[in-house]
Amino acid sequence: MIRLFALFILLALPAKAEEIVLGLSRDQVAITATFEGSDILVFGAIKREAPIPDESDLGVIVTVMGPSEPVIVRRKDKRLGIWVNTDEVEVDAAPSFYAVATSAPMREVLKDVEDLRYGITIPRVIRSVGAVVEDSASFTRALIRIRAGEELYQVLEGAVDVEQETLFRTAISLPANLTEGEYEAHIFLTRDGRVIDEYITFIPVRKVGLERWLYNLAHDNAFLYGLMSLAIAIVAGWGASAAFSLLRR
């Protein structure tokens, strides 16, 4: 009876005027021993129940977020000629990877109140509620700057191509230093900076082959992994020494 009542409620709800239909160039990313990064093509269309509105501007925002994790950010100062850690802030949760691509400048496709509600820009997805150090926001900015330099945080304004306000596509580059886990692809459709629809899908990022075997061995049998690493180092050293001796003759 409850299920039937819920079905009647869903049928009674009005259909969305504009709705996202999404596609991905790949549904998973494999990290191998020779992994040097990858590109994900995000593309889709906008399904409509009515003609395209003329009085407002369409915006498309695509985000790809890696697993969140706590991070300790430290500040260094020079004391008596030596650089030492002085202050530190523990960020409660920061994405290991985050890319946000837009169809126009961010200020044109997203209002600040919508960013506060949905948490779309990079500062909004980093949570640091327990920081008690003075000027703790500077630690968050430093984390963003460092990870942006490593291509782990990306802001790609104007990187989403929209054709006839119906088709859209963009490419997100994943660097080689990815963290394994579930990556969330989130697409927002906006009108005059307000979110009118959203779509979420997930992309598994996993180590495979030799990389997976070594990872499992290191975590499940650290002693055997250490012995194997030592044996490889000994053999490599002996081989290099033998080769050098032959070259000297």
Side-chain angles (χ1 to χ4, degrees):
M1 183 65 180
I2 295 177
R3 293 182 180 178
L4 185 60
F5 180 69
L7 178 60
F8 284 147
I9 291 177
L10 290 175
L11 292 175
L13 291 174
K16 293 181 179 179
E18 295 178 293
E19 188 175 354
I20 298 170
V21 181
L22 180 70
L24 294 170
S25 61
R26 57 176 64 193
D27 56 6
Q28 64 178 351
V29 174
I31 300 178
T32 63
T34 58
F35 181 75
E36 297 181 354
S38 180
D39 289 337
I40 294 179
L41 178 63
V42 181
F43 57 93
I46 300 168
K47 177 183 175 182
R48 293 186 173 90
E49 301 294 337
I52 299 175
D54 295 328
E55 69 281 0
S56 58
D57 295 326
L58 174 74
V60 179
I61 304 172
V62 177
T63 68
V64 176
M65 181 172 68
S68 291
E69 56 194 5
V71 180
I72 295 179
V73 184
R74 295 183 174 89
R75 174 186 287 157
K76 290 181 178 292
D77 281 331
K78 202 169 186 180
R79 303 287 174 84
L80 301 177
I82 302 175
W83 288 97
V84 296
N85 296 326
T86 55
D87 296 316
E88 68 177 39
V89 166
E90 182 175 357
V91 177
D92 300 285
S96 57
F97 174 84
Y98 194 79
V100 52
T102 64
S103 58
M106 186 69 74
R107 65 181 182 276
E108 296 180 10
V109 298
L110 185 68
K111 292 185 179 296
D112 203 47
V113 66
E114 294 291 276
D115 187 21
L116 182 62
R117 177 184 178 186
Y118 290 94
I120 297 175
T121 60
I122 293 177
R124 296 293 188 193
V125 298
I126 297 176
R127 298 196 302 273
S128 183
V129 296
V132 295
V133 176
E134 185 179 353
D135 192 23
S136 60
S138 64
F139 288 81
T140 301
R141 292 194 295 269
L143 174 63
I144 294 173
R145 184 178 66 253
I146 292 170
R147 292 195 168 179
E150 297 172 347
E151 298 184 347
L152 292 173
Y153 286 174
Q154 305 173 19
V155 179
L156 310 169
E157 292 187 312
V160 180
D161 295 325
V162 181
E163 297 182 7
Q164 300 178 351
E165 295 201 7
T166 301
L167 304 175
F168 64 87
R169 68 178 182 273
T170 190
I172 303 294
S173 296
L174 304 178
N177 51 338
L178 283 180
T179 299
E180 188 179 22
E182 292 287 333
Y183 282 59
E184 177 185 295
H186 206 149
I187 294 82
F188 299 91
L189 191 64
T190 68
R191 284 280 180 190
D192 286 339
R194 298 190 180 278
V195 176
I196 60 174
D197 192 33
E198 58 179 315
Y199 186 98
I200 303 176
T201 189
F202 294 92
I203 308 167
V205 175
R206 297 281 184 267
K207 294 181 175 71
V208 298
L210 178 62
E211 187 76 8
R212 164 57 62 184
W213 182 78
L214 290 173
Y215 179 86
N216 289 338
L217 181 64
H219 286 77
D220 299 337
N221 197 329
F223 179 73
L224 181 59
Y225 179 80
L227 288 179
M228 186 184 70
S229 300
L230 181 62
I232 292 175
I234 292 173
V235 171
W238 177 84
S241 177
F244 183 74
S245 299
L246 288 175
L247 289 175
R248 292 182 59 184
R249 293 178 181 177

